[in-house]
């Protein structure tokens, strides 16, 4: 899984230039739905729109004004029901990504993720949390590609950096649970890689929380590695 997993990810300073090249090679002249949020109407979003235009694609842009309320989800439903899109692209956080995954799954459309913050691993996974009911989740297709701009991650607000840190640390509970089951139920879970990721985070924690722009990139590196490890286990067992 490792090579296949990492091959989907483009993590560079000029990632959106590579997005333009990818779209030109694979979706030239196709129809795209771009999903983002109001808070991300900025120069980074413009780069993504330029990438779509570079590939001579026609596109519709849906900007969520809130955190994808039920009314906004209904609006997206109407859009994707009325028009046949060849690709969805999402620029946003994990919530926006889950919304995109949800519709990609229903309408059988491939999707590309452009993360706006290092806050979780939903960008990389084949698991979708139902946007209408966060207690429900299901397996879906992996993103076709994930384009991560270092510029975007470096300018991410502190509250979203904290989310990423807390998310990784929450896996200490998973490690503890596996340890208990190994003892009591004679299981053979190996959590070494999860332990290594958490250990690396703790070593880099001071720098990451200092909001040094380069340190934020290390957090995203750890989230990518964590997502890779999670792809190897059955989280629905």
């Amino acid at each position: 899984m490792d090579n296949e997993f990492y091959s989907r990810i483009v993590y560079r300073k000029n990632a959106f230039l590579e997005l333009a090249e990818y779209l030109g090679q694979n979706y030239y002249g196709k129809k795209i739905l771009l999903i983002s949020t109001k808070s991300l109407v900025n120069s980074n979003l413009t780069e993504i729109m330029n990438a779509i235009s570079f590939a001579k694609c026609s596109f519709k842009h849906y900007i969520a004004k809130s955190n994808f309320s039920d009314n906004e989800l209904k609006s997206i439903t109407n859009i994707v029901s009325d028009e046949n899109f060849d690709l969805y692209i999402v620029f946003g956080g994990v919530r926006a990504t889950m919304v995109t995954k949800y519709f990609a799954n229903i309408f059988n459309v491939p999707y590309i993720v452009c993360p706006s913050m290092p806050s979780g691993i939903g960008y990389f996974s084949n698991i979708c949390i139902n946007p209408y009911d966060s207690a429900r989740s299901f397996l879906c297709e992996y993103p076709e590609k994930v384009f991560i701009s270092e510029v975007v991650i470096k300018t991410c607000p502190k509250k979203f950096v904290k989310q990423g840190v807390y998310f990784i640390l929450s896996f200490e509970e998973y490690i503890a649970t596996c340890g208990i089951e190994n003892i009591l139920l004679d299981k053979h879970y190996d959590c070494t890689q999860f332990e290594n990721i958490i250990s690396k985070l703790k070593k880099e924690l001071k720098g990451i929380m200092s909001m040094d722009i380069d340190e934020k990139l290390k957090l995203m590196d750890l989230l990518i590695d964590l997502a890779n490890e999670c792809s190897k286990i059955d989280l629905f067992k």
Side-chain angles (χ1 to χ4, degrees), residues 33-42 45 60-77 79 89-93 95-100 103 131:
L33 174 63
L34 172 61
I35 298 175
S36 65
T37 58
K38 184 179 179 181
S39 62
L40 293 173
V41 177
N42 53 34
L45 178 61
K60 179 162 285 187
H61 184 194
Y62 185 85
I63 304 175
K65 295 181 176 62
S66 65
N67 194 26
F68 293 94
S69 64
D70 284 356
N71 285 337
E72 290 184 317
L73 293 175
K74 290 177 182 177
S75 295
I76 298 176
T77 300
I79 292 172
I89 298 178
V90 56
F91 176 47
R95 169 71 172 168
T97 301
M98 292 302 166
V99 169
T100 305
F103 288 105

Side-chain angles (χ1 to χ4, degrees), residues 9-232:
I9 301 171
V10 177
Y11 187 11
R12 315 231 199 297
K13 179 180 179 181
N14 298 316
F16 297 152
L17 291 180
E18 295 194 37
L19 170 62
E21 294 177 6
Y22 184 83
L23 294 177
Q25 293 170 0
N26 297 277
Y27 290 95
Y28 187 87
K30 299 294 186 179
K31 194 171 186 178
I32 295 175
L33 174 63
L34 172 61
I35 298 175
S36 65
T37 58
K38 184 179 179 181
S39 62
L40 293 173
V41 177
N42 53 34
S43 60
N44 296 314
L45 178 61
T46 300
E47 285 191 48
I48 294 174
M49 296 171 72
N50 288 341
I52 297 172
S53 297
F54 173 84
K56 305 298 182 185
C57 295
S58 61
F59 72 97
K60 179 162 285 187
H61 184 194
Y62 185 85
I63 304 175
K65 295 181 176 62
S66 65
N67 194 26
F68 293 94
S69 64
D70 284 356
N71 285 337
E72 290 184 317
L73 293 175
K74 290 177 182 177
S75 295
I76 298 176
T77 300
N78 292 335
I79 292 172
V80 295
S81 297
D82 293 342
E83 302 186 46
N84 293 319
F85 294 100
D86 299 294
L87 176 71
Y88 300 154
I89 298 178
V90 56
F91 176 47
V94 173
R95 169 71 172 168
T97 301
M98 292 302 166
V99 169
T100 305
K101 286 183 178 185
Y102 177 79
F103 288 105
N105 182 74
I106 292 176
F107 291 91
N108 194 30
V109 175
Y111 66 99
I112 286 174
V113 180
C114 301
S116 62
M117 59 193 75
S119 59
I121 62 174
Y123 310 118
F124 316 102
S125 76
N126 66 333
I127 296 175
C128 179
I129 298 173
N130 190 321
Y132 286 103
D133 181 1
S134 60
R136 297 174 59 195
S137 58
F138 57 87
L139 289 175
C140 64
E141 294 295 326
Y142 281 99
E144 187 169 288
K145 282 285 187 179
V146 181
F147 289 89
I148 309 172
S149 166
E150 292 183 357
V151 175
V152 172
I153 301 306
K154 285 180 177 182
T155 56
C156 176
K158 187 172 185 177
K159 65 178 180 179
F160 299 123
V161 173
K162 285 183 177 180
Q163 285 181 16
V165 169
Y166 297 155
F167 182 84
I168 293 175
L169 292 177
S170 71
F171 275 77
E172 289 189 320
E173 181 178 353
Y174 170 77
I175 294 171
T177 299
C178 289
I180 291 172
E181 292 189 8
N182 285 346
I183 295 171
L184 299 181
L185 303 178
D186 196 28
K187 299 290 185 178
H188 301 282
Y189 298 125
D190 183 2
C191 294
T192 303
Q193 294 304 317
F194 290 97
E195 292 170 343
N196 289 341
I197 290 169
I198 291 175
S199 177
K200 288 179 183 176
L201 172 66
K202 290 180 178 179
K203 289 179 180 178
E204 302 289 349
L205 193 55
K206 185 175 180 179
I208 292 172
M209 295 310 294
S210 72
M211 295 302 291
D212 179 278
I213 56 176
D214 291 321
E215 293 292 333
K216 294 179 188 178
L217 300 181
K218 294 180 181 179
L219 176 59
M220 182 58 90
D221 287 336
L222 292 172
L223 287 167
I224 292 171
D225 290 342
L226 179 62
N228 179 47
E229 292 306 316
C230 286
S231 71
K232 303 173 185 177

